């Protein structure tokens, strides 16, 4: 089953996603964040320790999310991808052009359709704020909104977190 969990920043998405995890079996946490500053490095370290105590294997992958799903499709694993928001940020940071992004998006959608594994993807809902005053931020919102919509289409479940409360949107 594919589940998309969306919501605002610090709305409880990651904590809620962890409640879906089976208590046994192969559980992989795919972390997309690249900690560029000291505060983020500490946050990533603490999250990694927390997940390890829960029995997750953490794999840090900032760009090749579709390949991670494909690589694990024969293993019948539980995959938690946190998060698409940082993934899109990374694609822009590494100057991945629109054509290559579209290819990655198509691969992601196709791999999600075909995987026998349970996959949870976390993302931020950026469409509730103001329209940004600069082109880069508007482009980012457009790209993230586009991939969020594509994933929501193939997901069996979509949940929106509001102030720590899950609101089922689909499924």
């Amino acid at each position: 089953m594919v589940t998309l969990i969306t919501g605002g920043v610090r709305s409880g998405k990651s904590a809620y996603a962890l409640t879906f995890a089976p208590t046994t079996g192969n559980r992989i946490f795919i972390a997309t964040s690249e900690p560029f500053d000291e505060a983020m490095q500490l946050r990533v370290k603490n999250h990694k320790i927390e997940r390890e105590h829960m029995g997750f294997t953490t794999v840090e992958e900032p760009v090749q999310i579709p390949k991670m799903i494909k690589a694990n499709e024969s293993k019948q694993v539980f995959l938690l991808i946190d998060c698409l928001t940082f993934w899109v940020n990374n694609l822009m940071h590494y100057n991945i052009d629109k054509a290559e992004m579209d290819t990655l998006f198509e691969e992601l959608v196709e791999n999600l359709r075909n995987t026998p594994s349970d996959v949870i993807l976390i993302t931020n809902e950026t469409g509730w704020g103001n329209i940004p005053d600069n082109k880069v931020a508007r482009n980012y919102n457009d790209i993230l909104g586009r991939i969020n919509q594509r994933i929501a289409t193939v997901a069996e479940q979509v949940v929106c977190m509001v102030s720590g409360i899950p609101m089922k949107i689909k499924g």
Side-chain angles (χ1 to χ4, degrees), residues 32-72:
T32 62
S33 173
E34 286 193 292
F36 292 113
D37 62 41
E38 207 172 296
M40 196 62 173
Q41 288 168 0
L42 180 60
R43 186 173 175 175
V44 166
K45 178 183 173 187
N46 290 336
H47 282 296
K48 190 173 182 179
I49 290 167
E50 176 186 21
R51 290 188 302 265
E52 286 172 356
H53 287 304
M54 296 179 71
F56 276 92
T57 300
T58 298
V59 177
E60 295 179 15
E61 179 48 61
V63 175
Q64 293 300 330
I65 301 305
K67 287 187 171 84
M68 294 301 303
I69 294 169
K70 185 79 169 164
N72 286 288

XYZ file of all heavy atoms in Angstrom, residues 32-72:
335
model
N 15.869 12.034 3.009
C 16.282 12.837 1.857
C 17.043 14.102 2.255
O 17.660 14.733 1.409
C 15.060 13.250 1.015
O 14.198 14.052 1.819
C 14.325 12.038 0.491
N 17.002 14.456 3.527
C 17.620 15.699 3.969
C 19.139 15.620 3.909
O 19.741 14.621 4.300
C 17.198 15.998 5.409
O 17.906 17.105 5.904
N 19.723 16.690 3.436
C 21.174 16.851 3.519
C 21.444 17.968 4.524
O 21.111 19.120 4.264
C 21.765 17.208 2.155
C 21.797 16.041 1.213
C 22.668 16.316 0.008
O 22.283 17.178 -0.796
O 23.720 15.681 -0.097
N 22.003 17.628 5.663
C 22.198 18.636 6.710
C 23.383 19.550 6.392
O 24.529 19.168 6.553
C 22.457 17.796 7.959
C 23.002 16.499 7.439
C 22.401 16.299 6.081
N 23.068 20.757 5.968
C 24.108 21.699 5.563
C 24.605 22.582 6.700
O 25.618 23.233 6.568
C 23.609 22.576 4.409
C 23.416 21.821 3.121
C 22.144 21.640 2.602
C 24.496 21.279 2.442
C 21.957 20.948 1.417
C 24.322 20.582 1.256
C 23.054 20.413 0.744
N 23.886 22.627 7.812
C 24.353 23.450 8.929
C 24.352 22.618 10.213
O 23.836 21.506 10.262
C 23.509 24.725 9.081
C 22.050 24.456 9.378
O 21.745 23.550 10.180
O 21.202 25.167 8.811
N 24.938 23.181 11.248
C 25.131 22.459 12.502
C 23.799 22.056 13.158
O 23.649 20.941 13.653
C 25.940 23.335 13.474
C 26.738 22.547 14.470
C 27.656 23.457 15.267
O 28.568 24.059 14.665
O 27.441 23.540 16.495
N 22.836 22.953 13.146
C 21.539 22.657 13.763
C 20.849 21.501 13.049
O 20.286 20.612 13.693
C 20.651 23.900 13.746
N 20.917 21.503 11.727
C 20.284 20.428 10.965
C 21.044 19.115 11.150
O 20.433 18.049 11.206
C 20.201 20.815 9.484
C 19.255 19.988 8.703
S 17.572 20.175 9.316
C 16.704 19.274 8.080
N 22.361 19.185 11.267
C 23.155 17.975 11.507
C 22.755 17.319 12.829
O 22.599 16.100 12.901
C 24.647 18.314 11.511
C 25.193 18.646 10.147
C 26.580 19.263 10.193
O 27.168 19.450 11.255
N 27.106 19.582 9.022
N 22.548 18.128 13.863
C 22.132 17.601 15.159
C 20.727 16.996 15.069
O 20.475 15.916 15.603
C 22.169 18.706 16.217
C 21.754 18.291 17.629
C 22.660 17.178 18.172
C 21.780 19.493 18.560
N 19.844 17.670 14.368
C 18.476 17.168 14.209
C 18.472 15.816 13.493
O 17.794 14.875 13.910
C 17.648 18.199 13.438
C 16.202 17.850 13.335
C 15.432 18.985 12.710
N 14.058 18.595 12.502
C 13.132 19.382 12.075
N 13.403 20.643 11.796
N 11.906 18.956 11.905
N 19.244 15.711 12.427
C 19.332 14.459 11.667
C 19.906 13.347 12.541
O 19.411 12.222 12.547
C 20.167 14.662 10.384
C 20.557 13.342 9.758
C 19.392 15.521 9.381
N 20.959 13.669 13.299
C 21.586 12.672 14.178
C 20.579 12.138 15.202
O 20.473 10.925 15.409
C 22.790 13.300 14.887
C 23.480 12.374 15.852
C 24.617 13.093 16.564
C 25.193 12.216 17.661
N 26.166 12.934 18.474
N 19.835 13.037 15.828
C 18.849 12.628 16.832
C 17.731 11.787 16.223
O 17.303 10.791 16.814
C 18.279 13.848 17.558
C 19.299 14.490 18.468
O 20.255 13.847 18.915
N 19.120 15.769 18.744
N 17.254 12.178 15.047
C 16.208 11.407 14.375
C 16.712 10.019 14.007
O 15.983 9.027 14.136
C 15.707 12.127 13.123
C 14.753 13.241 13.413
N 13.522 13.041 13.994
C 14.853 14.567 13.191
C 12.906 14.200 14.121
N 13.696 15.141 13.641
N 17.942 9.940 13.561
C 18.517 8.650 13.175
C 18.606 7.711 14.377
O 18.259 6.526 14.293
C 19.889 8.862 12.538
C 20.461 7.639 11.889
C 21.739 7.968 11.136
C 22.284 6.756 10.441
N 23.496 7.044 9.687
N 19.044 8.235 15.512
C 19.123 7.434 16.739
C 17.730 6.950 17.140
O 17.532 5.780 17.475
C 19.794 8.239 17.876
C 21.279 8.444 17.576
C 19.593 7.551 19.229
C 21.960 9.467 18.460
N 16.759 7.842 17.071
C 15.372 7.489 17.413
C 14.867 6.351 16.515
O 14.280 5.385 16.994
C 14.479 8.719 17.257
C 13.006 8.445 17.497
C 12.132 9.654 17.182
O 12.567 10.548 16.429
O 11.004 9.672 17.679
N 15.111 6.453 15.230
C 14.644 5.417 14.292
C 15.372 4.102 14.502
O 14.775 3.030 14.387
C 14.814 5.907 12.857
C 13.865 7.019 12.487
C 13.933 7.345 11.033
N 15.248 7.723 10.584
C 15.687 8.973 10.481
N 14.914 9.984 10.810
N 16.905 9.220 10.048
N 16.659 4.160 14.802
C 17.417 2.926 15.050
C 16.862 2.188 16.264
O 16.782 0.967 16.265
C 18.903 3.235 15.210
C 19.564 3.570 13.891
C 20.997 4.071 14.036
O 21.476 4.246 15.180
O 21.621 4.293 12.988
N 16.450 2.926 17.288
C 15.844 2.296 18.468
C 14.524 1.619 18.106
O 14.084 0.710 18.795
C 15.624 3.311 19.590
C 16.888 3.740 20.266
N 17.761 2.855 20.843
C 17.430 4.975 20.449
C 18.787 3.506 21.353
N 18.611 4.805 21.123
N 13.898 2.080 17.022
C 12.637 1.487 16.567
C 12.875 0.346 15.570
O 11.929 -0.224 15.051
C 11.750 2.552 15.921
C 11.316 3.642 16.885
S 10.316 4.882 16.062
C 8.815 3.953 15.791
N 14.147 0.047 15.279
C 14.462 -1.061 14.383
C 14.541 -0.696 12.912
O 14.574 -1.580 12.048
N 14.596 0.581 12.600
C 14.728 1.012 11.206
C 16.180 1.011 10.772
O 17.069 1.333 11.552
C 14.204 2.446 11.024
C 12.732 2.559 10.827
C 11.898 2.747 11.914
C 12.180 2.475 9.563
C 10.538 2.856 11.758
C 10.811 2.589 9.389
C 9.986 2.775 10.489
N 16.396 0.684 9.532
C 17.672 0.945 8.876
C 17.501 2.275 8.163
O 16.561 2.439 7.380
C 17.999 -0.158 7.853
O 18.080 -1.405 8.525
C 19.294 0.151 7.114
N 18.380 3.217 8.423
C 18.291 4.521 7.769
C 19.218 4.543 6.564
O 20.395 4.192 6.666
C 18.667 5.658 8.730
O 17.747 5.663 9.826
C 18.625 7.012 8.035
N 18.662 4.953 5.437
C 19.430 5.137 4.213
C 19.288 6.599 3.828
O 18.171 7.097 3.676
C 18.907 4.229 3.072
C 19.669 4.496 1.792
C 18.978 2.770 3.474
N 20.411 7.271 3.690
C 20.377 8.677 3.294
C 20.515 8.749 1.777
O 21.521 8.299 1.223
C 21.481 9.448 4.004
C 21.251 9.471 5.506
C 22.321 10.203 6.288
O 23.113 10.956 5.674
O 22.356 10.018 7.513
N 19.483 9.275 1.146
C 19.469 9.379 -0.324
C 18.798 10.687 -0.722
O 17.576 10.804 -0.677
C 18.726 8.187 -0.950
C 18.654 8.260 -2.451
C 19.996 8.565 -3.106
O 20.936 7.764 -2.945
O 20.105 9.611 -3.778
N 19.593 11.663 -1.136
C 19.030 12.980 -1.440
C 18.379 13.110 -2.820
O 17.580 14.022 -3.034
C 20.237 13.906 -1.335
C 21.402 13.032 -1.668
C 21.046 11.668 -1.141
N 18.683 12.223 -3.764
C 18.198 12.414 -5.138
C 17.514 11.186 -5.725
O 16.444 11.291 -6.321
C 19.360 12.874 -6.065
C 18.910 12.957 -7.513
C 19.906 14.222 -5.603
N 18.094 10.018 -5.584
C 17.629 8.829 -6.321
C 16.542 8.032 -5.581
O 16.644 6.821 -5.403
C 18.824 7.940 -6.666
C 19.767 8.560 -7.661
C 19.090 8.883 -8.994
O 18.147 8.228 -9.421
N 19.578 9.919 -9.656
N 15.487 8.705 -5.188
C 14.369 8.057 -4.494
C 13.729 6.953 -5.348
O 13.461 5.858 -4.843
C 13.318 9.108 -4.063
C 13.938 10.142 -3.144
C 12.109 8.435 -3.414
C 14.612 9.604 -1.931
N 13.476 7.190 -6.635
C 12.879 6.110 -7.443
C 13.728 4.836 -7.450
O 13.195 3.727 -7.347
C 12.783 6.708 -8.846
C 12.754 8.177 -8.624
C 13.619 8.415 -7.424
N 15.034 4.989 -7.520
C 15.924 3.818 -7.524
C 15.899 3.077 -6.188
O 16.035 1.862 -6.146
C 17.340 4.241 -7.892
C 17.486 4.588 -9.357
C 18.929 4.829 -9.729
C 19.092 4.950 -11.216
N 18.855 6.227 -11.791
N 15.712 3.805 -5.095
C 15.631 3.167 -3.786
C 14.393 2.271 -3.693
O 14.450 1.182 -3.135
C 15.590 4.221 -2.673
C 16.861 5.030 -2.526
S 18.317 4.024 -2.185
C 17.829 3.177 -0.712
N 13.285 2.736 -4.244
C 12.060 1.921 -4.239
C 12.263 0.692 -5.111
O 11.951 -0.430 -4.716
C 10.854 2.753 -4.701
C 10.575 3.855 -3.675
C 9.622 1.864 -4.904
C 9.590 4.892 -4.133
N 12.821 0.908 -6.292
C 13.065 -0.200 -7.229
C 14.025 -1.226 -6.622
O 13.805 -2.427 -6.728
C 13.641 0.354 -8.538
C 13.837 -0.641 -9.624
C 12.521 -0.926 -10.284
C 12.741 -1.729 -11.550
N 11.505 -2.333 -12.007
N 15.072 -0.763 -5.963
C 16.079 -1.660 -5.385
C 15.510 -2.539 -4.275
O 16.045 -3.606 -3.996
C 17.260 -0.856 -4.843
N 14.436 -2.095 -3.664
C 13.863 -2.842 -2.544
C 12.567 -3.566 -2.890
O 11.968 -4.184 -2.025
C 13.627 -1.893 -1.361
C 14.916 -1.514 -0.695
O 15.532 -2.320 -0.023
N 15.349 -0.286 -0.914
